[in-house]
Amino acid sequence: MAAGRDSAAPGPRTREPRKLDAVFDRGGVKGIGMVGAISVIEREGYEFVNLAGLSTGAMIATLLGAGYTAAELKEIIMELDLRHFRDAGPVGRLPGIGPLINVLTRSGLYRGDAIRRVMRELLEAKGVRTFGDLILPELADEPRYRYRVQVVAADITRGRLLLLPEDARIYGIEPNDLEVALAVRMSVGIPFFFQPVRLRNPGGETSYIVDGGLMSDFPLGLFDAPGEPEWPTFGFRLVRTRVPPVVRHRVNGPVSLLLAVYGTAISAQEARYIETHDTARTIMIDALDVGGIQFDVSRAHKEALFESGVAAAEAFLAGWDFERYKTLFRSNDSKPEQPASSPRG
C-alpha cells in the first residue's frame, strides 16, 4: 500500500473526509503556529491517518494521534505556563554555578521531567499510554504504517537516527510497550538545554538520546512509497519567511555560549529552508520573532503565532492541487529532488 496518499481530489469540503498524512517539524515554544495550521486543515475536512514528528512536532503529532483537536490543543497551550518546563532541580537552582553543574554532570540545564509528566497526563486523558494504543487496525499488518504516530529522535552515542516505536527494539523494549510520553521526551531533548534520555541496550551500553532534529533536518519523506500516492503528505514547518532580524544572544559564560550556538544554528536552519528545499507540500509558517526556547512567551505572542499558522495554511490550500502534486513530485515518470530523505533510507 502506498503512503503519501489521497482518497479524494481537493476542492470544496465533502461529507467524506479527505485523508492526509502529516509530518511536524521542531519549533520549540513556536509550535502553536503548527496548531493554527492544523485548525485550517481540520476545517477543510481533512482527516489525519499517519502522523510523525520530531521535537515539538512529536508532541503535536502524538496528541493529534491520541484524539485531540486543534481547538483543544490551542486551549491547552494558551493556558499552559511553559516556564514550568524549565525544571532545573535543586542543584540547577543554585545561584551562579548551579546551571553549569547541571550541564557538566547531567549534560543539560533542565531535567525534562515536567514535559514527560504533562504529556503523560494529556495522553492518558484520551486513553493512550503506550504505542500499542496507537495501532491502526486497518494497517496493523503493514509495519511502515502500523502505528498512527511515529516519533523521530537521535541516539548520539551510536550516531543513529531513531524512528520510534520500532527502534525501541534496540534497547530491549517491544514497540507496543514503549511509553508514548517517554518517546516524546526523547525527541524534545534539545542538546544542553534538556538532559538527554539515557537507555541501556541489551549489550550493556548506555545510549544518550536527544532531539531528533540533530540528525534529521525534516523527515518529510517518511511516509513516501513507490507508485502514485492515494493521498498526500503535508509538512508543517516553522520558518523565517522574511529577512531575519539581527538576533543577539547575550553570552556571559559557558552555559549561555552553548545556548547561543544552538539558537543560532536553529535560526540559520529556518532561514535556509526557503532557499534549499522544494516547498510543494510544506505549509511554511512564519515563526515571527519568537525564539524556540523562549519559555516566557506571552499570551499575545502565542495568539500571533497561532494566527500565523492559520494564514499559512489558508494560503497553502488556496494553491493546492493534488493532481499537480502527483505529477511534479511523486510521479514515477518525474523524479525531482526530494526536500528531505526518509529516515528509513
Side-chain angles (χ1 to χ4, degrees):
M1 179 176 182
R5 311 151 289 200
D6 195 47
S7 59
R13 188 188 311 176
T14 61
R15 291 185 179 180
E16 291 298 322
R18 288 173 282 173
K19 294 183 179 180
L20 177 69
D21 292 336
V23 178
F24 299 93
D25 195 25
R26 67 205 301 183
V29 300
K30 300 175 288 187
I32 192 170
M34 291 188 276
V35 176
I38 293 164
S39 71
V40 175
I41 297 299
E42 289 181 350
R43 185 185 74 201
E44 293 304 310
Y46 284 93
E47 180 182 80
F48 293 109
V49 182
N50 285 111
L51 302 151
L54 65 162
S55 196
T56 304
M59 300 175 73
I60 292 172
T62 53
L63 292 173
L64 281 176
Y68 283 92
T69 64
E72 289 175 312
L73 293 180
K74 181 183 181 184
E75 181 179 3
I76 290 167
I77 297 174
M78 285 296 181
E79 298 304 321
L80 185 63
D81 186 347
L82 299 174
R83 292 174 295 181
H84 291 319
F85 289 161
R86 297 188 298 201
D87 51 350
V91 173
R93 288 194 293 269
L94 292 174
I97 197 171
L100 181 59
I101 292 175
N102 266 3
V103 171
L104 293 177
T105 63
R106 304 295 296 173
S107 304
L109 287 172
Y110 305 112
R111 295 181 296 185
D113 295 341
I115 288 180
R116 184 176 178 183
R117 182 176 63 254
V118 168
M119 289 299 299
R120 180 186 291 137
E121 291 172 355
L122 290 172
L123 291 165
E124 288 184 349
K126 294 289 188 179
V128 172
R129 190 181 70 82
T130 69
F131 278 91
D133 299 317
L134 292 174
I135 293 175
L136 290 168
E138 66 274 22
L139 298 174
D141 295 331
E142 298 189 47
R144 191 170 189 172
Y145 310 117
R146 171 183 175 85
Y147 298 99
R148 181 167 173 77
V149 180
Q150 297 182 62
V151 171
V152 181
D155 183 335
I156 57 175
T157 303
R158 293 177 166 221
R160 173 172 179 162
L161 193 68
L162 299 177
L163 191 59
L164 302 168
E166 188 62 32
D167 285 337
R169 299 181 190 277
I170 297 170
Y171 311 101
I173 303 172
E174 284 298 315
N176 283 4
D177 297 333
L178 178 64
E179 184 191 23
V180 179
L182 175 58
V184 172
R185 171 63 186 88
M186 295 181 202
S187 188
V188 300
I190 300 172
F192 305 115
F193 194 81
F194 290 118
Q195 295 164 14
V197 172
R198 295 168 173 83
L199 287 182
R200 187 178 297 273
N201 63 43
E205 180 185 34
T206 297
S207 286
Y208 288 70
I209 302 171
V210 301
D211 182 348
L214 191 67
M215 295 183 64
S216 176
D217 182 31
F218 186 35
L220 187 55
L222 180 60
F223 300 121
D224 290 350
E228 184 175 294
E230 297 175 58
W231 59 78
T233 295
F234 284 179
F236 293 74
R237 187 162 195 182
L238 289 148
V239 297
R240 294 183 184 275
T241 59
R242 299 167 294 187
V243 176
V246 175
V247 178
R248 299 190 184 278
H249 300 279
R250 182 175 297 175
V251 177
N252 52 20
V255 173
S256 58
L257 175 62
L258 289 172
L259 294 179
V261 169
Y262 185 80
T264 300
I266 296 304
S267 297
Q269 186 185 76
E270 289 175 351
R272 188 170 59 247
Y273 179 80
I274 302 297
E275 299 175 354
T276 61
H277 289 75
D278 186 344
T279 60
R281 53 178 178 173
T282 301
I283 299 174
M284 298 183 299
I285 303 160
D286 190 342
L288 306 179
D289 297 326
V290 178
I293 53 177
Q294 188 179 326
F295 284 81
D296 57 352
V297 62
S298 68
R299 187 180 183 89
H301 272 113
K302 289 180 181 180
E303 193 69 54
L305 283 165
F306 182 89
E307 292 303 322
S308 180
V310 169
E314 289 177 341
F316 175 84
L317 290 180
W320 172 250
D321 185 324
F322 185 50
E323 294 306 314
R324 180 176 179 273
Y325 163 89
K326 288 191 291 185
T327 300
L328 298 181
F329 196 81
R330 296 285 292 121
S331 170
N332 284 334
D333 299 326
S334 178
K335 300 182 183 298
E337 181 182 354
Q338 295 281 346
S341 60
S342 166
R344 294 285 180 97

